[in-house]
Amino acid sequence: MRRHPLVQMLVVGAIASAIGVFVALQIHWFPARASTRAREVDRFYHVLLIVSVPIFVLVVVVVLFSVWKFRMRPGEKFKEGPPIHGNTRLEVVWTAVPAFLIVGLVIGAFVTLEDIESAQPRTMTVDVTARQFAWSFSYPRAHGDPVTSSTLHLPEGRPVEFRVHSADVIHSFWVPAFRAKIDAVPGITTTLRITPSRQGSYPVVCAELCGYGHATMRTTAVVEAPRQFAAWLRGQGRPAPPTAPVGAPSGRQLFTQEGCDACHTLADAGASGTVGPNLDDALKGRSAAFIRQSIVDPNAFVAKGFPPNVMPQTFGRQLSAAQLDALVSYLAKVTR
Ligand code: CUA
């Protein structure tokens, strides 16, 4: 007995959907879960998969079925299809069903977001600053200057609020293992809350195309036991923030703090970046004046093999006079 084509199509679609959903749920889409919000984010992702796989399958089955069922047969080349005047009931259904689905998913997303972003007691604050092409993290302290670091350290189990800033263009602060991502936008502070829940080291990635060195704009988030974290924080001395020229960091510290090491190789600073010229070669025997010009006005002289406009032209404004002097004399010394 032959079944109605619509029944055949529904049976094929239902089987394909079941297989599709099963396969989609077997795949490990994400890295380790290193924050408390990860479970909720992953669960919501699974809801999205369960809803969207059958829709994808339905569309594909209908398309393939139509191609097969309504294909042109010999002698039909100049035949016109039946005139179609619309079907109100069908149109109401195909408008209403997606509308309900979307509203439902939006509500689900909103509830999840409210929950994972809710304020927690005992929250610590970390300032995240993005610049081309490096991250820096600053831990405010009750007394004295904040501690700054180019790697992110966090105590396990302690809620943290990131205040995210940009010193130049738009970047995006992303720690996949925390299931957390937010843009760093010049001129405003964006915030993001997480609670690290698993010790280990996880990649921190820039997720917004921000220039030639975008792909190298990475660092590490270290989640450690609270005691270890406290010991690390104590051991961080106090590399002063960029606004405090007095008691200032050395040229070598500035080289790292300002992110030069993300793009340049410089043996003395242990830097191995390859976005820009190798400074051990490019600055060899160069005058302090040349080095200063190369920092303040990088396009004045561009090393062979590198396009112009790669190096940010904002360092002249960003560095204080004292910082610039320190950086220039350091570079002149170590590349003599
Ligand atoms: Cu910063 Cu991409």
Side-chain angles (χ1 to χ4, degrees):
M1 192 182 83
R2 277 191 63 115
R3 303 256 163 98
H4 191 276
L6 203 62
V7 176
Q8 290 176 347
M9 200 168 74
L10 280 176
V11 170
V12 171
I15 294 170
S17 295
I19 295 171
V21 169
F22 178 78
V23 170
L25 293 181
Q26 296 311 303
I27 296 172
H28 290 282
W29 297 94
F30 300 117
R33 293 173 176 161
S35 80
T36 52
R37 59 154 65 190
R39 192 167 292 281
E40 280 180 82
V41 172
D42 293 4
R43 187 188 303 136
F44 189 65
Y45 186 77
H46 285 152
V47 170
L48 289 176
L49 278 178
I50 291 168
V51 173
S52 49
V53 167
I55 293 174
F56 175 74
V57 168
L58 177 76
V59 170
V60 171
V61 167
V62 169
V63 167
L64 293 180
F65 180 81
S66 306
V67 166
W68 168 72
K69 177 81 185 165
F70 304 110
R71 69 188 183 280
M72 192 184 73
R73 294 186 170 82
E76 290 184 341
K77 196 166 183 185
F78 299 104
K79 233 176 109 183
E80 277 187 36
I84 292 173
H85 289 291
N87 180 327
T88 309
R89 195 194 296 171
L90 192 62
E91 285 170 21
V92 167
V93 168
W94 81 40
T95 306
V97 169
F100 276 120
L101 278 177
I102 298 232
V103 169
L105 292 176
V106 165
I107 292 172
F110 181 79
V111 169
T112 305
L113 192 63
E114 278 292 291
D115 192 36
I116 62 182
E117 286 278 289
S118 62
Q120 305 286 330
R122 276 185 3 96
T123 296
M124 65 180 265
T125 301
V126 177
D127 281 290
V128 179
T129 303
R131 58 166 53 89
Q132 290 170 316
F133 298 100
W135 296 101
S136 77
F137 305 96
S138 169
Y139 301 77
R141 291 195 298 184
H143 314 284
D145 295 325
V147 164
T148 51
S149 165
S150 59
T151 49
L152 174 61
H153 283 248
L154 295 170
E156 184 188 6
R158 175 92 185 264
V160 52
E161 180 177 82
F162 296 110
R163 293 192 301 215
V164 183
H165 320 271
S166 169
D168 38 45
V169 300
I170 300 178
H171 304 267
S172 186
F173 174 61
W174 184 29
V175 188
F178 292 160
R179 306 294 190 272
K181 177 158 75 175
I182 193 138
D183 278 7
V185 182
I188 65 170
T189 300
T190 49
T191 60
L192 186 64
R193 294 196 182 102
I194 63 136
T195 305
S197 60
R198 186 171 180 272
Q199 292 183 26
S201 295
Y202 310 100
V204 177
V205 185
C206 178
E208 179 67 53
L209 187 59
C210 55
Y212 280 89
H214 163 68
T216 66
M217 192 167 162
R218 289 166 165 263
T219 183
T220 305
V222 181
V223 178
E224 53 204 352
R227 281 179 60 180
Q228 266 177 298
F229 171 77
W232 171 83
L233 201 58
R234 273 197 306 277
Q236 280 303 293
R238 44 169 209 84
T243 44
V246 194
S250 68
R252 191 211 216 132
Q253 282 169 330
L254 280 166
F255 190 79
T256 311
Q257 190 177 305
E258 296 301 322
C260 312
D261 61 333
C263 296
H264 293 288
T265 292
L266 184 68
D268 186 78
S272 56
T274 53
V275 175
N278 177 331
L279 297 183
D280 291 316
D281 302 332
L283 298 184
K284 194 163 183 59
R286 293 289 195 163
S287 68
F290 175 84
I291 296 173
R292 180 180 300 267
Q293 184 192 42
S294 296
I295 297 172
V296 175
D297 181 15
N299 283 341
F301 177 87
V302 179
K304 230 172 91 186
F306 294 90
N309 299 317
V310 174
M311 174 149 159
Q313 293 166 60
T314 49
F315 284 115
R317 275 172 282 140
Q318 210 166 289
L319 296 163
S320 69
Q323 287 178 319
L324 188 59
D325 288 345
L327 197 53
V328 169
S329 55
Y330 166 70
L331 286 169
K333 202 178 84 192
V334 300
T335 60
R336 197 150 33 206

